[in-house]
Amino acid sequence: MSLPRSKYVQEGKEGVYHCFSRCVRRAFLYGFDAHTGRDFSHRKAWIVNRLRQIAGIFAVDVCAYAVMENHCHTILRTRPDIAASWSDQEVATRWLALFPKNYRRRGAAKLPVEEQIRALASCPERITTLRRRLCSLSWFMGQLNEFIARAANKEDGVKGRFWESRFKCKALLDEAAIAACMAYVDLNPIRAGGAKTPEESDFTSIQERICAWRKDPMRPGGAIPKGEQNVHSGTIRRDTMTDNAKSDPVDSGDYWLCPISSEVHRRGILSMTAAEYIDLIDKSGRMIRSDKQGAIDADLRPILLRIGANPQAWTETISDFGDKFSLVAGVISNLRDFADQMGRRWFKGVRAARVAFALSPPQPA
């Protein structure tokens, strides 16, 4: 059932969305193309580096991502409340960082100068427009996809489309849908047979979260409680990780992904600790491997019930999330409210939601 995106992705309102982009024809994001014999491995960090860069500019949280050979998943949360707190000068600085006016000889952008910032900040109407754009899902995805398309086309010496269409998007209405979709995205390489464990899942947010936890297990919400230190051990190859050098002129902090649980100065995305989430993904990854018998670990039940997910349907939910829900996902009561707001009787996914999630969001303890 089609619906204009402007109807359910409303500017100025916070929302969480699963965004999906696929390459056109035989185009590759990265990997070896057996058809042409070309190796595109050098492209493997493009999207992650671009995500890190624009996450430090936009008021948009990157909650999860997975870069596959010919498509890319992202889960994003728009934060108009953050954009509203910025001064006019900060809005101008961020916009000029996104669209720099000065370049060095080799094409690298220079930081905006004070005169440019003051000139832009002195135009209230323009600043109002730019503030809205800097928390816009469409502008964020546009700056991600256009950058990659131009770089790939330039390298290939071609013109035209690199992505088959405008990015696809579905709204995630509650924590049950967000957690299930994040697991679906983070486990894409395992589900596709490209990795055996979360830490071996190259170019995913779960690999980056595990790497960050290993560096600093005592960060807020990051320490694994006693008795829960069962994340599958393994060595993360450093050549698969993104470049740690910051290319964005606006500092996004030393950890750019949206935290799982809330920290002192940053709001999290789920009501569980980072350790619980890593454990959830690790155990869920074992369930969907073809050489393992699917079963719900007893330790997962409290977490799943707490977020409003059905433990018996969890494996199927995170394996087929993309097919079960097309435009929106959430518990039944939220789907009904969403349909009423959109003036529709139903949306695809109601039957799947009855199986996967609770009837209504769980109440906080």
Side-chain angles (χ1 to χ4, degrees):
M1 182 180 295
S2 62
L3 187 71
R5 187 171 296 162
S6 59
K7 291 287 188 181
Y8 65 96
V9 182
Q10 299 180 15
E11 290 187 351
K13 290 188 176 181
E14 182 178 318
V16 182
Y17 306 94
H18 172 215
C19 301
F20 174 87
S21 300
R22 184 182 294 277
C23 297
V24 72
R25 300 185 299 277
R26 294 188 58 84
F28 267 62
L29 282 177
Y30 76 88
F32 182 79
D33 184 357
H35 181 73
T36 63
R38 293 182 63 188
D39 186 2
F40 293 95
S41 297
H42 60 282
R43 293 180 175 179
K44 57 189 177 182
W46 283 6
I47 281 192
V48 181
N49 285 339
R50 183 60 174 174
L51 274 172
R52 178 191 281 117
Q53 182 185 26
I54 60 178
I57 297 175
F58 280 84
V60 175
D61 291 332
V62 179
C63 304
Y65 69 84
V67 184
M68 308 299 285
E69 285 191 344
N70 65 351
H71 64 277
C72 176
H73 297 271
T74 53
I75 296 180
L76 306 172
R77 178 172 64 184
T78 54
R79 295 294 304 275
D81 57 318
I82 291 179
S85 70
W86 291 337
S87 66
D88 291 352
Q89 287 74 19
E90 187 165 4
V91 171
T93 301
R94 289 173 180 270
W95 187 257
L96 291 171
L98 191 62
F99 295 102
K101 296 183 178 295
N102 301 323
Y103 292 87
R104 298 183 178 91
R105 286 185 177 180
R106 295 184 179 180
K110 291 183 178 180
L111 295 178
V113 298
E114 285 299 323
E115 290 79 4
Q116 295 171 336
I117 295 172
R118 283 198 298 267
L120 183 55
S122 64
C123 304
E125 292 184 2
R126 178 67 173 161
I127 289 296
T128 298
T129 299
L130 300 184
R131 192 186 301 276
R132 186 168 59 248
R133 289 178 180 176
L134 286 172
C135 60
S136 165
L137 184 72
S138 292
W139 273 87
F140 185 98
M141 287 300 299
Q143 288 307 300
L144 173 64
N145 285 351
E146 182 181 349
F147 179 89
I148 301 301
R150 287 182 180 275
N153 283 352
K154 181 179 180 180
E155 182 179 64
D156 293 340
V158 299
K159 296 181 179 180
R161 287 185 176 274
F162 179 75
W163 304 104
E164 66 179 9
S165 63
R166 192 183 180 204
F167 71 94
K168 294 178 173 60
C169 170
K170 63 169 65 84
L172 306 176
L173 301 182
D174 44 60
E175 185 174 14
I178 294 170
C181 192
M182 286 178 65
Y184 165 75
V185 168
D186 275 332
L187 291 172
N188 243 245
I190 292 178
R191 182 167 159 267
K196 293 184 177 180
T197 62
E199 61 268 32
E200 293 173 353
S201 299
D202 295 343
F203 312 108
T204 61
S205 49
I206 187 61
Q207 186 188 60
E208 190 148 349
R209 291 188 191 279
I210 292 172
C211 183
W213 175 82
R214 283 176 170 170
K215 288 180 179 179
D216 185 10
M218 297 310 295
R219 63 178 281 109
I224 293 185
K226 230 178 201 185
E228 295 184 17
Q229 301 184 18
N230 53 2
V231 177
H232 187 74
S233 59
T235 301
I236 298 179
R237 301 193 310 275
R238 294 299 177 182
D239 63 327
T240 66
M241 300 306 295
T242 60
D243 183 7
N244 287 326
K246 290 227 177 253
S247 56
D248 54 297
V250 179
D251 185 12
S252 60
D254 57 357
Y255 187 66
W256 65 280
L257 286 174
C258 177
I260 296 297
S261 59
S262 295
E263 300 178 353
V264 177
H265 300 295
R266 297 184 68 187
R267 178 149 60 91
I269 188 66
L270 298 173
S271 62
M272 64 179 74
T273 66
E276 287 178 318
Y277 179 74
I278 292 173
D279 193 42
L280 174 67
I281 298 303
D282 180 69
K283 290 179 177 176
S284 299
R286 298 169 192 266
M287 295 170 195
I288 65 174
R289 282 180 53 182
S290 59
D291 59 338
K292 299 290 183 180
Q293 182 179 0
I296 298 296
D297 192 299
D299 291 341
L300 290 185
R301 291 180 183 272
I303 297 176
L304 298 180
L305 293 173
R306 192 167 73 232
I307 64 175
N310 178 7
Q312 283 70 38
W314 179 249
T315 304
E316 186 179 357
T317 300
I318 62 175
S319 298
D320 302 322
F321 191 92
D323 296 329
K324 290 178 178 295
F325 306 97
S326 59
L327 186 69
V328 62
V331 302
I332 288 293
S333 60
N334 286 338
L335 285 178
R336 287 171 177 163
D337 292 342
F338 182 83
D340 290 341
Q341 293 171 15
M342 298 297 107
R344 301 295 180 93
R345 295 184 61 185
W346 60 276
F347 284 100
K348 178 184 175 181
V350 171
R351 184 177 300 176
R354 287 197 179 99
V355 175
F357 306 132
L359 295 177
S360 60
Q363 298 300 314

